[in-house]
Amino acid sequence: MPGAASHPTLRPLGLTRVQFVAAASERGRSPSKARDEYKALFREGKPAAWFAEPGVELPDYPVSATLVDGETSKFVLRHEDGLETESVLIPMPRSTGTTTTLCVSSQVGCAMGCHFCETAQMGLLKNLRADQIVHQWFSATHRVQHSASRAVKNIVFMGMGEPTDNIDEVIQSVRVLTDHDGASVPASNISISTVGNPDGIVKIGELVRERGFHRLNLALSLNAPNDEIRTQIMPVNRAWPMARLKEALVSFPRFSQAAFCVEYVLIPGVNDRDEHCDEVCAFLRDIRCSLNVIPYNPRRNSPWPAPAEASVERFVARALTNGQFTKRRGTKGRDVMAACGQLGNEKIRQRKLVHDDGSSQPIKLRISTREATREEQT
Ligand code: SF4
């Protein structure tokens, strides 16, 4: 291809249709053909022959595992550096029939260190590029045979990683996934979940202000009634205490009646008492939100068991009595470690940060009291 070497690597899965056509035109491709090629890639899973040429990268990572527990599937994609992303396909029964939700990862591992989370055991191994995030949707749609064999309807950024810790790539992936000429997933069917980085919430809010993204959903992983308990189980709370989090939520742009989703992993003996429930409801009182109570899924070597069904029911009933709109979320995928907070491949838990140039070095992860930071080991 003439002049290909002088162009940056073209990654079709990381580009919107407009960006792709511009990049293809710079390489001497016809814009109208490029438009068709973009559609064929996203809609039919068919790459154009020239995507195999030097200067173009179309990941076609092998699906290294597909586990099914009867309804939920977890699939693992092995990257060329040996690291793996994990994604989960979850059938969701609705009044109109069952739909499929895809839970995507934004990082391999995670630096946030939440004590109840399997992924936290890995540390952060690498940030995913937008095309690597979109590739999970591409695989789920065109490559992975899953029991549901239905098209992915909803996408939630709740897999491995904290999306606001890789926010630019996450936002670019949302632009690609919502492109009408490509994946065409409505913004209202996409949720970004965060532990509550206020700066990240502001950036998501900026995207939501753009035309076409007003109905993008934000979910917050709260998990505690107050700063003391939240800091114990989520070290990031030292950097971003609940008052700052609330400010960010209150100023988040709202264009629809849709409520925030606030996730609350119920952990026995930690955050499951009646007074905890009352405190959570008081904290959420002036925020239009749905409180999703999620029974804790014990990670490997967990210090806590799963909560008793009776305590989950009591917590939910009390929240409802307090006037808080509350749902109990089912725990799907527990058998295959695909449930909430359980993603993370044991075999790749080397504390190794992989840089864009492919080099790697061990790192120590630390959340300081002022900022969440990653420190290189000396
Ligand atoms: S719960 Fe989410 S933010 Fe916390 S360590 Fe796990 S993946 Fe990271």
Side-chain angles (χ1 to χ4, degrees), residues 107 109-121 158-163 193-195 221 223 233-234 236 340-343:
Q107 299 178 311
C110 183
M112 298 295 117
C114 303
H115 294 330
F116 51 84
C117 174
E118 179 76 13
T119 308
Q121 311 292 304
M158 292 185 188
M160 280 199 283
E162 162 57 30
S193 177
T194 174
V195 288
S221 198
N223 306 320
I233 57 175
M234 300 175 72
V236 291
C340 184
Q342 286 189 329
L343 298 186

Side-chain angles (χ1 to χ4, degrees), residues 34-182:
R35 253 191 306 273
D36 293 345
E37 287 164 347
Y38 188 83
K39 266 192 186 171
L41 177 65
F42 281 87
R43 302 270 173 90
E44 297 157 44
K46 288 187 185 151
W50 67 275
F51 294 171
E53 292 177 4
V56 183
E57 261 183 41
L58 182 70
D60 207 3
Y61 304 132
V63 180
S64 58
T66 303
L67 303 165
V68 180
D69 73 348
E71 49 177 15
T72 300
S73 318
K74 174 166 84 170
F75 64 93
V76 180
L77 301 171
R78 183 178 287 271
H79 292 198
E80 53 284 277
D81 56 20
L83 296 180
E84 296 173 335
T85 60
E86 300 191 1
S87 321
V88 185
L89 284 155
I90 310 159
M92 307 293 282
R94 307 275 187 218
S95 54
T96 48
T98 302
T99 62
T100 297
T101 293
L102 171 67
C103 177
V104 293
S105 296
S106 54
Q107 299 178 311
V108 179
C110 183
M112 298 295 117
C114 303
H115 294 330
F116 51 84
C117 174
E118 179 76 13
T119 308
Q121 311 292 304
M122 300 166 67
L124 175 65
L125 302 185
K126 74 170 176 179
N127 282 326
L128 297 181
R129 295 188 312 259
D131 65 305
Q132 293 169 323
I133 297 171
V134 173
H135 188 261
Q136 296 167 67
W137 169 88
F138 185 81
S139 299
T141 304
H142 298 299
R143 300 286 183 265
V144 177
Q145 300 292 316
H146 49 97
S147 54
S149 67
R150 282 178 292 266
V152 169
K153 183 155 193 271
N154 299 294
I155 298 175
V156 293
F157 283 80
M158 292 185 188
M160 280 199 283
E162 162 57 30
T164 61
D165 201 29
N166 185 22
I167 191 67
D168 292 341
E169 297 297 317
V170 165
I171 285 178
Q172 174 63 15
S173 71
V174 169
R175 292 188 188 284
V176 177
L177 289 165
T178 51
D179 194 302
H180 293 304
D181 292 316

Side-chain angles (χ1 to χ4, degrees), residues 255-295:
F255 291 93
S256 71
Q257 287 306 307
F260 289 127
C261 169
V262 174
E263 295 143 17
Y264 194 93
V265 175
L266 197 73
I267 309 174
V270 175
N271 62 4
D272 63 340
R273 293 188 359 209
D274 289 352
E275 54 269 39
H276 295 156
C277 181
D278 296 346
E279 255 186 293
V280 172
C281 295
F283 177 77
L284 298 176
R285 191 145 297 142
D286 41 1
I287 301 171
R288 192 171 66 238
C289 67
S290 161
L291 178 64
N292 278 9
V293 178
I294 307 162

